[in-house]
Amino acid sequence: GAVVSQHPSRVICKSGTSVKIECRSLDFQATTMFWYRQFPKQSLMLMATSNEGSKATYEQGVEKDKFLINHASLTLSTLTVTSAHPEDSSFYICSARRGQQGVSYNEQFFGPGTRLTVL
Amino acid sequence: GNSVTQMEGPVTLSEEAFLTINCTYTATGYPSLFWYVQYPGEGLQLLLKATKADDKGSNKGFEATYRKETTSFHLEKGSVQVSDSAVYFCALKPEGGFKTIFGAGTRLFVKA
């Protein structure tokens, strides 16, 4: 099956620093990747959708200058949390969709998540 | 708009008990429906899916049937195990869309 990896799995940083999280599709090309945030004991909240080679589309209420998303290749997307604060502490999960842009294939694969703790 | 509603947890069962987690949805047309499972500290794994009305998704002893008339996709398992303890998310993908919409999740505890 298709595999999506995330790195790092856990990160602890100081307030004010920036943290980069990588999401990779290991055995398929992902034209679209999604970034979710999950608060403790809650559901996933979609933060943004990124298509390879173009700017990410952010959901309402998500600060694009704080959560920088880059989808530079068909196998890699990165989420950078800039000037992190304790309230940014959360579980961040990426998902990669296999298929052609504009075609609604029902194949979406999730990474294992990255737990960010900001002190 | 599109939305998913699932029963609140936590659900606590003894091993070998029957499991039902209710899920209903609101969407136009024929969305695809999914159940995902999240084990502690991990990401989501697709458990099963159904893409059209009356389809039954099944995997690892879990089943769910796409009921268009009741807009439901209830998850069932005949005999749960301790290893089934996890959070279960019902989700939908709108017809023609590509964003997955998740329910709030239901935490399941299975006692030995």
Side-chain angles (χ1 to χ4, degrees):
Chain A
V3 178
V4 176
S5 71
Q6 280 184 242
H7 178 80
S9 57
R10 291 177 178 272
V11 57
I12 300 173
C13 69
K14 292 182 179 180
S15 186
T17 61
S18 294
V19 175
K20 180 185 284 188
I21 303 170
E22 293 186 349
C23 176
R24 294 182 184 271
S25 56
L26 297 186
D27 52 1
F28 67 98
Q29 293 186 329
T31 51
T32 304
M33 287 186 171
F34 305 88
W35 286 96
Y36 295 86
R37 184 172 179 177
Q38 186 181 29
F39 292 99
K41 300 184 180 180
Q42 295 188 28
S43 188
L44 279 70
M45 181 192 78
L46 179 64
M47 299 174 66
T49 303
S50 73
N51 291 304
E52 184 265 337
S54 61
K55 290 184 178 179
T57 301
Y58 290 81
E59 296 299 300
Q60 191 172 11
V62 179
E63 298 177 61
K64 62 180 180 181
D65 294 330
K66 180 165 187 64
F67 298 100
L68 301 178
I69 292 172
N70 183 282
H71 191 163
S73 76
L74 286 172
T75 59
L76 173 65
S77 176
T78 59
L79 167 67
T80 301
V81 182
T82 62
S83 187
H85 291 282
E87 57 265 31
D88 299 325
S89 298
S90 193
F91 196 51
Y92 292 88
I93 300 175
C94 77
S95 173
R97 175 174 167 264
R98 180 167 61 188
Q100 297 174 4
Q101 286 191 33
V103 179
S104 179
Y105 287 98
N106 290 318
E107 297 194 61
Q108 190 172 340
F109 304 95
F110 288 82
T114 296
R115 184 161 302 285
L116 168 64
T117 302
V118 184
L119 302 177
Chain B
N2 302 307
S3 65
V4 177
T5 303
Q6 59 183 106
M7 63 188 290
E8 288 188 25
V11 173
T12 302
L13 297 173
S14 297
E15 208 165 21
E16 298 183 3
F18 185 86
L19 168 71
T20 299
I21 300 178
N22 290 336
C23 171
T24 56
Y25 68 89
T26 301
T28 55
Y30 290 84
S32 295
L33 302 174
F34 308 85
W35 277 101
Y36 287 89
V37 58
Q38 183 179 33
Y39 297 102
E42 299 183 12
L44 272 65
Q45 299 175 29
L46 178 64
L47 182 60
L48 54 85
K49 68 178 182 181
T51 58
K52 58 184 189 292
D54 299 325
D55 266 2
K56 176 185 284 189
S58 61
N59 185 26
K60 300 181 181 179
F62 291 89
E63 293 182 340
T65 301
Y66 188 145
R67 301 287 188 199
K68 178 69 173 172
E69 63 276 13
T70 54
T71 61
S72 64
F73 192 55
H74 305 321
L75 182 68
E76 296 182 337
K77 186 175 186 183
S79 175
V80 293
Q81 305 300 314
V82 173
S83 57
D84 293 326
S85 297
V87 180
Y88 293 81
F89 292 94
C90 186
L92 74 81
K93 188 170 293 186
E95 184 178 7
F98 61 87
K99 293 183 183 179
T100 302
I101 297 165
F102 291 88
T106 302
R107 186 173 297 273
L108 170 66
F109 292 106
V110 180
K111 302 179 298 183

